[in-house]
Amino acid sequence: LVGVIFSIATIVPSLAVGVRRLHDIDRTGWWVLLWFVPVVGWIVLIVWHCTPGTPDQNRFGLRAFSP
């Protein structure tokens, strides 16, 4: 029961962080739906999340944090 409540409470913040990271590498947030594609989608998103972001500005605006 506690695990289910925790999962429901953290789903929206997790999606928001994923979309923000995708925007940081100049990809649309809709790519976060790849989490629903088993194995291949997960690998693609993990690789994208590990790549460095675009320097300065992209089509989604200025970066929030500088390295």
Side-chain angles (χ1 to χ4, degrees), residues 1-64:
L1 180 62
V2 173
V4 172
I5 292 171
F6 179 78
S7 296
I8 291 171
T10 59
I11 190 79
V12 173
S14 298
L15 287 173
V17 167
V19 168
R20 184 173 182 158
R21 177 64 188 130
L22 287 169
H23 283 179
D24 188 38
I25 60 171
D26 202 22
R27 299 203 185 270
T28 181
W30 287 104
W31 284 108
V32 79
L33 295 177
L34 279 178
W35 281 118
F36 294 112
V37 179
V39 183
V40 175
W42 303 338
I43 292 171
V44 169
L45 283 174
I46 289 171
V47 168
W48 283 351
H49 284 263
C50 292
T51 58
T54 55
D56 300 328
Q57 186 171 357
N58 59 26
R59 64 186 166 139
F60 298 103
L62 291 173
R63 288 184 58 184

